[in-house]
Amino acid sequence: MKSFSLLIKPVSADCNLRCEYCFYIDHLNSVESKPRMSDNTLESMIASYMQTDQNNQYAFGWQGGEPTLLGLNFWKKVVELQTKYAPPGAVISNGLQTNGTLINDELAKFFAEYRFLIGVSLDGPPLLHDFYRKTINQKPTHTLVMSGIERLRKFKVEFNILTLVNHETVRKASEIYHYLKENEFYYHQYIPCVEFDENGNLEPYSITGDEWGDFLCELFEEWIKADINKVSIRLFDSILNYLVYGTYSVCYMGNNCCQYFVVEYDGSVYPCDFFVQKDLLLGNVKTNKWDDFLDSPKYRTFGAQKAEWNKRCNICPFLNICHGDCQKFRTNINNSSKELSILCKGWKKFYANTLPRFRLIADKIKHDNKITSLNQIKAKKIGRNSPCPCGSGKKYKNCCLR
């Protein structure tokens, strides 16, 4: 069975905030007034997922809306069920994306005990963060978020910062980056805000491709000065992962979108967070098996559309690291995966300016990895005709021994 992870929305789009740019909040119009995942649905999902062959690696991502609305007892139930249904030797990971405003000592202590990785949404310093990220009553939220982060720190919970790059922040890459560093946040994720209105035009809070490229270039210049080994930026890590190992660690870089499943609060399953829509409903965890979802023609067709990029992509020098970009950014009013990504110009600008230097960093990583392998070889006294532990597939005498 193909490995896959779960992105679960146990409260659907319900949230205690009303961020102006939220792409998911409209789902509240089509669900119950207070959508909550039932114990029955939760158990069906966890039990069935744990019965699949995932090489004993089971990844649960929890998102919303705001998943901490459920309170501590729900998360205790999650861990209880994961423990109950885990096969021998299973490694279970839980990641939770939150706005941070509802994190209290009880939750933070629990997340620390069970090693949840927490993603906290923070768009930078107060003026930038509070421009779009407000409560239901239109109150600023920055102070509440920082209080939640302090509680995570108090109990030594691992967390990273997710920053949505929007119309107000896209020219502030350096300011945001240094603000996060000054607060000793060293794990960053930057996401472009791209939303279309019903006529296919960008919403006022969205950014253009050129703006995205400028933001990333400015961010890179700040990072490369002295922070290569200090600050982890998910996009930059993904590029280096590809250059060093030849694999894609984020879905939008690959050529197929069959990567994970979204599970809504009622057990409904969809192929992607950005495409939770009726025509892409795959089934329900209470009535279908995961094999059904993996083999679904609807799922396979959706995944294969990633490779149906615009013909101009075929001559792009960055195709192997982009593959036409995320389908969300290729589907506006025409609803065609063959449209050029709205961010295309930005990606080209960024890669043209930074890939040569990324390759230098990657070469150093490869060199350091080889030295490490060599030391391991010496310590283990590997035979000359043994497979080389560096992973080349060659015999030791024809590889690192030379």
Side-chain angles (χ1 to χ4, degrees):
M1 173 181 282
K2 174 181 167 58
S3 295
F4 61 92
S5 59
L6 301 183
L7 180 60
I8 308 146
K9 294 180 175 287
V11 297
S12 190
D14 198 9
C15 189
N16 61 317
L17 305 190
R18 285 298 181 271
C19 307
E20 187 176 343
Y21 53 53
C22 180
F23 77 93
Y24 210 73
I25 196 69
D26 288 344
H27 287 272
L28 278 183
N29 298 329
S30 58
V31 301
E32 298 173 7
S33 58
K34 194 175 181 179
R36 297 292 184 267
M37 181 171 280
S38 68
D39 288 350
N40 178 261
T41 300
L42 180 67
E43 185 163 10
S44 294
M45 176 186 67
I46 292 176
S48 60
Y49 182 46
M50 290 295 201
Q51 291 169 5
T52 64
D53 180 13
Q54 302 293 314
N55 296 316
N56 257 10
Q57 305 280 329
Y58 298 89
F60 296 82
W62 305 90
Q63 203 178 75
E66 177 48 49
T68 60
L69 284 170
L70 288 161
L72 181 60
N73 287 338
F74 177 85
W75 302 107
K76 286 182 176 179
K77 186 72 173 178
V78 165
V79 171
E80 176 188 321
L81 290 170
Q82 289 174 341
T83 303
K84 177 180 178 180
Y85 290 105
V91 176
I92 301 169
S93 62
N94 285 289
L96 185 147
Q97 185 63 40
T98 175
N99 59 43
T101 63
L102 300 177
I103 300 291
N104 54 31
D105 282 358
E106 278 189 327
L107 273 175
K109 183 179 180 181
F110 176 85
F111 291 148
E113 181 179 358
Y114 291 98
R115 299 183 181 181
F116 275 55
L117 174 62
I118 307 299
V120 181
S121 296
L122 180 68
D123 287 353
L127 286 177
L128 294 179
H129 174 91
D130 288 335
F131 193 90
Y132 289 121
R133 298 190 65 80
K134 294 181 172 65
T135 66
I136 292 176
N137 297 320
Q138 294 299 294
K139 302 294 184 182
T141 62
H142 186 274
T143 300
L144 296 173
V145 177
M146 295 300 283
S147 295
I149 289 174
E150 286 309 307
R151 290 186 175 92
L152 294 176
R153 280 180 158 164
K154 175 181 176 180
F155 290 96
K156 297 180 172 56
V157 180
E158 288 191 43
F159 69 93
N160 55 43
I161 299 297
L162 187 150
T163 298
L164 191 72
V165 182
N166 56 66
H167 180 72
E168 293 300 314
T169 60
V170 72
R171 294 176 181 82
K172 307 286 186 179
S174 179
E175 180 181 347
I176 294 170
Y177 180 74
H178 287 289
Y179 176 78
L180 298 182
K181 274 185 59 182
E182 287 163 8
N183 282 277
E184 299 182 342
F185 303 146
Y186 299 126
Y187 294 88
H188 306 181
Q189 184 176 354
Y190 297 90
I191 304 294
C193 180
V194 177
E195 299 295 334
F196 301 103
D197 64 20
E198 59 185 11
N199 296 315
N201 300 313
L202 284 175
E203 294 281 10
Y205 40 75
S206 297
I207 64 174
T208 66
D210 280 328
E211 289 173 332
W212 179 235
D214 290 339
F215 180 93
L216 291 179
C217 287
E218 183 178 334
L219 183 68
F220 178 87
E221 296 302 337
E222 296 301 319
W223 173 78
I224 202 170
K225 289 176 182 176
D227 296 333
I228 293 174
N229 297 313
K230 184 177 183 180
V231 178
S232 169
I233 297 176
R234 188 185 184 200
L235 170 61
F236 298 177
D237 292 345
S238 301
I239 293 169
L240 290 170
N241 184 79
Y242 170 72
L243 294 176
V244 174
Y245 302 108
T247 57
Y248 303 108
S249 57
V250 291
C251 57
Y252 58 82
M253 281 187 176
N255 65 357
N256 190 288
C257 286
C258 292
Q259 303 287 332
Y260 66 95
F261 291 106
V262 174
V263 184
E264 259 285 355
Y265 81 102
D266 61 353
S268 299
V269 176
Y270 301 86
C272 175
D273 188 27
F274 295 133
F275 293 90
V276 176
Q277 53 197 51
K278 289 182 178 179
D279 61 328
L280 287 174
L281 174 63
L282 303 177
N284 194 290
V285 296
K286 292 176 288 187
T287 55
N288 298 96
K289 297 180 179 180
W290 293 105
D291 280 335
D292 298 335
F293 302 133
L294 287 168
D295 294 336
S296 166
K298 194 180 295 186
Y299 180 61
R300 290 174 175 270
T301 298
F302 175 80
Q305 280 179 175
K306 182 66 160 68
E308 296 177 7
W309 48 69
N310 189 283
K311 62 182 180 181
R312 282 175 283 180
C313 295
N314 292 321
I315 58 172
C316 178
F318 312 119
L319 178 61
N320 285 344
I321 206 168
C322 173
H323 291 108
D325 201 9
C326 176
Q327 288 194 60
K328 176 184 179 180
F329 306 138
R330 289 160 37 178
T331 53
N332 51 25
I333 192 64
N334 296 320
N335 198 32
S336 170
S337 64
K338 294 187 178 181
E339 291 285 328
L340 274 179
S341 166
I342 193 73
L343 299 177
C344 179
K345 288 183 179 180
W347 285 122
K348 284 183 176 180
K349 183 184 298 185
F350 169 62
Y351 287 133
N353 278 283
T354 63
L355 268 183
R357 284 175 285 175
F358 272 122
R359 289 193 176 101
L360 291 176
I361 299 170
D363 287 343
K364 185 179 185 306
I365 294 172
K366 290 177 184 177
H367 176 265
D368 291 346
N369 286 349
K370 188 170 184 178
I371 294 299
T372 300
S373 296
L374 210 51
N375 290 335
Q376 292 172 342
I377 289 166
K378 292 175 181 177
K380 293 179 180 178
K381 297 181 180 179
I382 303 296
R384 291 172 58 87
N385 291 313
S386 300
C388 188
C390 75
S392 66
K394 300 179 182 178
K395 291 183 179 180
Y396 174 35
K397 68 180 180 180
N398 297 325
C399 191
C400 289
L401 181 61
R402 294 186 300 173

